[in-house]
Amino acid sequence: MDLLNAIVALLNFVVIPATAYGAQLALGALGVTLIYGILRFSNFAHGDTMALGTGFVILFTWWLQSMGLSFGPLPTAFLALPLGIALTAAVVLLTDRSVYRFYRKQKAAPVILVIVSMGVMFVMNGVTRFVIGVDEIRFADGAKFLINANDFKAATGLAEGLAFKASQAQTIVTAVAVVALLFWFLNKTRTGKSMRAYSDNEDLALLSGISPERVVAVTWIIASGLAVIAGTLYGLDKSFKAFNYFQLLLPIFASAIVGGLGSPLGAIAGGFLIAFSEVGFTYAWKKVATYVLPESLAPDGLAQLLSTDYKFAVSFAILIVVLLFKPTGLFKGKSV
Amino acid sequence: MNTRNIVLFAGMALLIVLEGSTTFGGIFGGSWNTALFIVNFGLLSAIMSLGVNMQWGYAGLFNVGVVGFIALGGLAPVLIATPPVTEVWTASGAGRLIFALIVGAGVIALAIVLNNRLRGRARLLALCVTLIGGFFLYRALFDPAAEVVEAFNPATNSNLGGLGLPVLLSWPVGAALAAGAAWLIGKTALGLRSDYLAIATLGIGEIIVAVLKNEDWLARGVKNVIGIPRPVPYEVDLQNSPGFVDFAANFGADPVVASTIVVKLLYAALFLVVLLVLTMATELALKSPWGRMMRAIRDNEVAAEAMGKNVTGRHLQIFMLGSAVCGFAGAMMVTMDSLHNPGTYSPLRFTFLIWVMVIVGGSGNNWGAILGGFLISFLWLKVEAWGPAALDYLTSGMDPTSPLRTHLQDSAAHMRLIALGLVLLLVLRFSPRGLIPEK
């Protein structure tokens, strides 16, 4: 019984939240890694693209709600998502046209593009704050829980409750669907294949008649789609606050680098690795330990390895270890 | 210095004089107090952008964690100049805490030695055992000690306090702290591709700020340390001294206003000395064989390496030097405010703003970095006032109760992010060499 309780506590506080968070990070890291593979620079504006896109989704959600529309048990934001993605993709394509294309034609060094993306980040950050403000916004509606803690206790007779939030289930299901779609697109369609060819060897791809502008445009559209989905899922799961998305930049980059920049599979693995380590290190293990260990060994303190204020230190530490020992990442990304 | 540059600097000086002397329909403040505040802010920013310019302009290193190095430098005045909290030291909390820190450092040193000495599976096993065992040992020693320290007098202390030494000494110490952190990052991330340094510095910047916010035993965290000793007299003391009141009366000035202006002028003089010494040193360094080598490495790493230059070593050196300058400026800033407030360390203000200064001024040119520091500081401080005024004017035709108007007016504060981002993008696009280009 104690062991069962321990497993339920572990599921409730570690496995489920980390899986949802990992899915959000993986979607974000996929966007970063795709842009890196095709455009060959680290896009610092990605976090703020997520914030801007989520801001649009929230606005559309309010608009739909004001018309009395809802999506049954699912949050209205899912209905607003396609509109938000379309608008964000338009903004991002416009940014590419007006900002990035000039440097691409010049064949500027990647570090210049990184600085340019920093400028874009500034503007997007300002626009997001301008459009939606800096306050915390909760926009999740529909069903709250898939499994309620009290119902679970009553049904199983265990002391520990298991809460499975609807937003977590939605995150996981959506992420699986999006990733499956993305891999199908990259591996089976003509456009996807041309993207991979372009990423592998730009010159050869150009010689085979692949249009670079088209590949770049498709990449931006996919990356902004991924960013908006990741941002909306994160916002539904926790809450929307513009500054939080800037802070997500570090775990997202860490995920992409740990997996290997430019490798989509690596980005997913990296996202889950970072999420599980972050939650594992900052979770107070006292509850699980008291169930599993004999009474004499039970910990006095919280048995928390790191305070939650330092959760960024975990992604940073993993990043440093990978840079020291395996700079190309776990899934052999682009050259160092 | 050619005529163009002299005109640019004269224009900058004119802006500050105008700010002090006239209001010009609300565009300028018309107060010497705010003008001097802008001067001091500009001097500090100019020193910070000199530091970033060393890294980016001389060596092409992209540091996105400037805020962390400034914050680490800002820790120095607290550790050096504030009086020690003797009760904590005698209660053996402090001694145990420092012992725990030494043990922690020892564990890491041991891990590094093992990493270098052993090979294969033995290395992995030894590293895991050392690091995991060391972590728990460190926490077992550290947690109770930190609790003792933080439990003492939480309203005013709860920290170790400082050494009670003169505050000016903390400036080089701040530089040394920042250089130490830079060494740690440089050792791992330099020599890999350029983006990795950017991401690693982004991480260390956030972590340093998080540590300063949360470790109360170090510098009281977000509870702030106030009343850090100053190198210049206090305004109140000046107002109470009859000599100063007579001196102010000679100018026909109110002693209260005069005292604040005199204090600001004293700080400005101190900062100006630092800025001049730094500028001279960096200019000489740039003209020396060392400077030519740095530029050669920046412009073509492969060729420089073929000539026998140690590229990674030189990068590490310049990265530490630039970070040290940022740390120095951080210590100066905290000294001027005589307040340690880690809550204010935002990456937008202390990383990206400094970057805008360097790029607008002219990367690779020290005079450009200084001009950029002053100009962007001026704009940053003034746009705060101009933004709401401009929106007031633009929305004056609208119904005063319309929600759109109130929303626009509330959002005016965010205008400066957009404005700065646009300035950065426009300069990069149309004048990538900046206002004062590198020769």
Side-chain angles (χ1 to χ4, degrees):
Chain A
M1 215 49 175
D2 271 358
L3 195 63
L4 270 182
N5 271 324
I7 292 172
V8 170
L10 196 66
L11 275 176
N12 192 20
F13 293 108
V14 178
V15 177
I16 294 175
T19 311
Y21 180 45
Q24 290 149 10
L25 282 186
L27 289 178
L30 270 174
V32 166
T33 227
L34 275 181
I35 292 179
Y36 186 86
I38 307 287
L39 292 133
R40 299 188 163 75
F41 74 97
S42 309
N43 183 14
F44 271 71
H46 201 75
D48 284 296
T49 312
M50 281 166 76
L52 185 66
T54 314
F56 287 149
V57 168
I58 293 175
L59 290 181
F60 282 123
T61 307
W62 287 343
W63 178 63
L64 290 173
Q65 282 169 341
S66 72
M67 297 199 311
L69 277 173
S70 79
F71 204 9
L74 292 175
T76 320
F78 275 62
L79 276 182
L81 203 50
L83 298 170
I85 293 177
L87 190 55
T88 314
V91 170
V92 168
L93 281 178
L94 200 71
T95 316
D96 180 66
R97 207 20 95 81
S98 56
V99 181
Y100 294 118
R101 193 162 74 158
F102 170 77
Y103 300 96
R104 202 158 55 238
K105 292 268 178 290
Q106 273 197 332
K107 297 218 175 296
V111 71
I112 299 286
L113 277 161
V114 174
I115 296 183
V116 171
S117 78
M118 199 173 83
V120 172
M121 177 186 91
F122 246 102
V123 177
M124 275 193 177
N125 194 310
V127 171
T128 311
R129 291 169 180 222
F130 197 79
V131 169
I132 197 128
V134 287
D135 301 328
E136 196 165 325
I137 299 171
R138 291 182 187 279
F139 59 105
D141 51 2
K144 281 264 180 290
F145 287 101
L146 212 60
I147 303 175
N148 189 308
N150 287 331
D151 295 350
F152 181 84
K153 275 190 212 169
T156 57
L158 287 173
E160 276 301 314
L162 180 72
F164 196 7
K165 283 200 292 182
S167 62
Q168 293 166 332
Q170 287 152 8
T171 298
I172 297 166
V173 172
T174 316
V176 170
V178 167
V179 167
L181 197 68
L182 179 71
F183 276 83
W184 169 80
F185 174 80
L186 287 177
N187 291 319
K188 299 289 179 202
T189 64
R190 228 182 138 72
T191 321
K193 283 180 187 165
S194 65
M195 274 174 68
R196 287 192 301 138
Y198 188 86
S199 161
D200 278 347
N201 189 326
E202 197 178 332
D203 295 330
L204 264 182
L206 291 178
L207 277 176
S208 356
I210 289 172
S211 150
E213 284 306 306
R214 184 154 174 272
V215 167
V216 167
V218 172
T219 309
W220 278 121
I221 293 173
I222 295 177
S224 40
L226 288 168
V228 179
I229 294 173
T232 306
L233 291 175
Y234 185 82
L236 285 172
D237 193 15
K238 309 214 160 76
S239 68
F240 174 83
K241 204 168 174 224
F243 188 64
N244 287 351
Y245 288 83
F246 171 76
Q247 292 202 312
L248 270 183
L249 205 57
L250 181 64
I252 284 180
F253 269 121
S255 311
I257 292 179
V258 166
L261 267 177
S263 150
L265 207 60
I268 297 170
F272 283 103
L273 180 69
I274 297 280
F276 270 88
S277 333
E278 213 171 84
V279 176
F281 270 98
T282 52
Y283 173 61
W285 289 90
K286 182 185 171 74
K287 197 173 226 172
V288 177
T290 30
Y291 281 125
V292 181
L293 298 175
E295 211 155 305
S296 55
L297 282 177
D300 313 321
L302 289 170
Q304 186 184 23
L305 295 176
L306 272 177
S307 111
T308 40
D309 301 312
Y310 293 131
K311 58 182 181 191
F312 295 111
V314 178
S315 26
F316 181 73
I318 296 176
L319 178 71
I320 292 290
V321 169
V322 169
L323 287 186
L324 280 175
F325 294 104
K326 208 166 175 2
T328 47
L330 301 175
F331 283 74
K332 238 188 171 18
K334 296 258 161 219
S335 62
V336 183
Chain B
M1 274 303 210
N2 54 25
T3 357
R4 184 186 131 90
N5 298 352
I6 292 168
V7 169
L8 281 171
F9 271 100
M12 188 63 236
L14 182 70
L15 277 180
I16 287 171
V17 171
L18 284 176
E19 171 70 25
S21 55
T22 161
T23 53
F24 202 72
I27 294 180
F28 296 107
S31 138
W32 285 106
N33 231 332
T34 53
L36 278 172
F37 179 76
I38 293 178
V39 169
N40 283 343
F41 192 96
L43 283 165
L44 284 173
S45 304
I47 295 170
M48 291 171 190
S49 63
L50 269 181
V52 174
N53 184 40
M54 283 183 191
Q55 297 175 338
W56 170 243
Y58 300 6
L61 301 177
F62 189 41
N63 177 359
V64 202
V66 183
V67 58
F69 298 106
I70 291 173
L72 205 53
L75 178 64
V78 180
L79 294 186
I80 296 294
T82 54
V85 184
T86 38
E87 291 86 345
V88 176
W89 287 91
T90 47
S92 84
R96 277 159 59 202
L97 200 144
I98 293 200
F99 177 67
L101 290 178
I102 293 171
V103 168
V107 167
I108 293 173
L110 181 66
I112 292 171
V113 170
L114 288 174
N115 182 35
N116 291 337
R117 289 283 167 80
L118 298 174
R119 283 284 161 268
R121 196 166 293 171
R123 175 166 86 159
L124 194 67
L125 193 72
L127 274 181
C128 285
V129 170
T130 317
L131 287 176
I132 295 173
F135 179 77
F136 284 104
L137 177 68
Y138 166 73
R139 287 290 301 263
L141 288 170
F142 176 83
D143 287 1
E147 218 163 277
V148 170
V149 173
E150 287 176 6
F152 174 73
N153 208 355
T156 50
N157 290 115
S158 80
N159 66 336
L160 288 179
L163 298 173
L165 296 171
V167 70
L168 287 183
L169 196 68
S170 72
W171 296 3
V173 173
L177 284 177
W183 179 81
L184 224 58
I185 289 301
K187 267 291 184 196
T188 28
L190 285 172
L192 301 173
R193 44 166 305 125
S194 50
D195 315 35
Y196 285 4
L197 179 71
I199 293 157
T201 46
L202 180 77
I204 195 76
E206 296 213 10
I207 288 173
I208 291 175
V209 174
V211 168
L212 290 181
K213 277 184 186 165
N214 293 302
E215 296 303 317
D216 284 6
W217 57 269
L218 189 61
R220 301 196 73 223
V222 283
K223 292 190 285 183
N224 300 349
V225 178
I226 51 169
I228 298 168
R230 299 177 7 168
V232 299
Y234 284 88
E235 286 90 345
V236 184
D237 295 341
L238 285 180
Q239 287 155 26
N240 291 339
S241 95
F244 181 78
V245 175
D246 289 345
F247 171 77
N250 279 342
F251 290 91
D254 174 41
V256 176
V257 177
S259 66
T260 54
I261 287 183
V262 165
V263 167
K264 285 203 172 72
L265 275 175
L266 286 174
Y267 273 121
L270 265 177
F271 292 173
L272 193 65
V273 170
V274 174
L275 181 65
L276 286 179
V277 169
L278 261 179
T279 316
M280 213 159 72
T282 46
E283 278 293 289
L284 287 175
L286 257 193
K287 289 200 178 78
S288 71
W290 180 85
R292 284 197 295 279
M293 173 178 67
M294 291 315 301
R295 273 171 288 160
I297 291 176
R298 180 194 63 191
D299 293 337
N300 193 337
E301 282 186 21
V302 180
E305 200 146 26
M307 298 293 288
K309 305 298 179 203
N310 178 359
V311 173
T312 313
R314 293 285 81 73
H315 275 173
L316 183 61
Q317 185 186 29
I318 196 82
F319 187 63
M320 286 172 67
L321 280 174
S323 301
V325 172
C326 290
F328 204 95
M332 289 162 67
M333 185 179 69
V334 169
T335 310
M336 181 175 81
D337 299 339
S338 70
L339 163 74
H340 182 256
N341 179 3
T344 56
Y345 292 129
S346 94
L348 287 171
R349 158 72 184 85
F350 285 104
T351 299
F352 299 114
L353 191 66
I354 310 292
W355 267 95
V356 174
M357 291 170 185
V358 172
I359 288 178
V360 168
S363 39
N365 188 316
N366 294 321
W367 299 107
I370 294 170
L371 179 69
F374 274 103
L375 184 63
I376 300 297
S377 301
F378 184 81
L379 291 177
W380 177 255
L381 292 173
K382 290 309 288 181
V383 165
E384 197 175 19
W386 292 341
L391 277 175
D392 257 350
Y393 178 73
L394 287 175
T395 56
S396 54
M398 292 163 74
D399 177 16
T401 53
S402 108
L404 184 63
R405 183 174 177 192
T406 44
H407 176 77
L408 283 176
Q409 283 175 346
D410 290 344
S411 313
H414 314 312
M415 290 301 281
R416 56 182 186 179
L417 287 176
I418 302 180
L420 275 175
L422 281 178
V423 166
L424 182 68
L425 287 176
L426 290 173
V427 169
L428 274 173
R429 173 80 156 77
F430 296 105
S431 163
R433 284 150 60 77
L435 286 172
I436 306 184
E438 192 184 355
K439 282 188 267 303

